[in-house]
Amino acid sequence: MDQEEILLDAEERMDKAVHVLQGQLQGIRTGRATPGLVDSVRVDYYGSPTPLKQMANVSVPEPQQILIRPFDAQMVGEIAKAIQASDMGLAPNTDGRVVRLNIPPLSTERRRQLVSRVKELAEEARISIRNIRRDANKHADQAEKDKVMGEDERDNTKTDIQELTKKFEGKVNSMADAKEKDVMDE
């Protein structure tokens, strides 16, 4: 691998780590209702676990309520069961056609738990980014051994990798800080 390939690979993988964190943070509850809260719910759809958003329209008609309108009205019961089985701690209300989730305000204790979960997820993302940095540095060392690049080029590559690492760790930190503020506010 040459310098450009190493940097491009590292950047793509770090970007994926940030996107994974972004998806995980969307599923963390704040005091407001968002469709992202139910993204991780899987419903037993004729024997196969199916993501809720593939089988229903999820909307937020009010700040404290999520409305789930299944494409197949017979699945209302299954959707309600899946939500109860999830670790969200929400009780679904059904009227035969739609499922309503009322989002209660969070207690201070629960907010603290959610903030600690946000910190855990952010640390996992930072570890992932650092592992990508380590792999990229190994590729640079190997390229120098294989005479694909010189010593100076290897050192420049490692410097660029470190800059990428700082950039993506900064993104992770800002996302985590914003989510923590979001959870603690209200």
Side-chain angles (χ1 to χ4, degrees):
M1 294 178 96
D2 68 352
Q3 181 179 9
E4 211 171 284
E5 288 174 335
I6 293 170
L7 292 172
L8 190 62
D9 179 56
E11 186 170 13
E12 284 176 1
R13 291 175 57 202
M14 287 179 186
D15 196 41
K16 283 180 188 171
V18 169
H19 281 302
V20 166
L21 174 66
Q22 190 173 24
Q24 291 172 327
L25 290 179
Q26 277 182 341
I28 291 184
R29 208 176 118 197
T30 60
R32 292 182 301 277
T34 62
L37 290 177
V38 293
D39 277 355
S40 63
V41 174
R42 301 240 183 252
V43 180
D44 183 33
Y45 189 65
Y46 299 111
S48 66
T50 308
L52 179 60
K53 62 183 175 183
Q54 287 183 8
M55 56 188 299
N57 186 5
V58 180
S59 61
V60 182
E62 300 172 24
Q64 300 294 316
Q65 188 179 77
I66 297 175
L67 185 68
I68 302 167
R69 190 179 309 273
F71 303 133
D72 180 357
Q74 296 174 3
M75 296 309 296
V76 169
E78 288 294 325
I79 290 171
K81 275 190 225 170
I83 291 169
Q84 285 176 331
S86 72
D87 62 352
M88 289 191 304
L90 298 174
N93 300 324
T94 63
D95 67 1
R97 293 190 328 263
V98 296
V99 177
R100 283 186 174 79
L101 293 174
N102 290 316
I103 310 296
L106 295 171
S107 67
T108 306
E109 178 65 25
R110 183 67 179 137
R111 287 179 194 275
R112 287 190 186 118
Q113 290 173 347
L114 291 173
V115 165
S116 71
R117 180 68 181 137
V118 167
K119 288 179 180 176
E120 288 172 17
L121 292 172
E123 184 57 27
E124 287 172 14
R126 284 191 289 269
I127 289 170
S128 175
I129 288 169
R130 290 178 195 136
N131 287 341
I132 295 165
R133 174 185 63 192
R134 184 197 60 219
D135 293 347
N137 284 338
K138 281 184 184 175
H139 285 300
D141 289 337
Q142 189 60 43
E144 193 233 342
K145 281 182 188 170
D146 295 344
K147 306 276 191 246
V148 175
M149 66 172 72
E151 209 173 300
D152 290 342
E153 197 175 5
R154 180 203 63 198
D155 293 341
N156 290 340
T157 303
K158 285 187 173 187
T159 302
D160 292 345
I161 292 167
Q162 183 58 35
E163 287 172 13
L164 272 178
T165 304
K166 284 181 183 174
K167 172 183 156 189
F168 282 99
E169 281 185 341
K171 283 184 181 181
V172 166
N173 293 339
S174 65
M175 286 169 58
D177 291 344
K179 189 64 173 188
E180 284 177 34
K181 185 178 183 305
D182 203 19
V183 168
M184 291 310 283
D185 282 353
E186 246 181 75

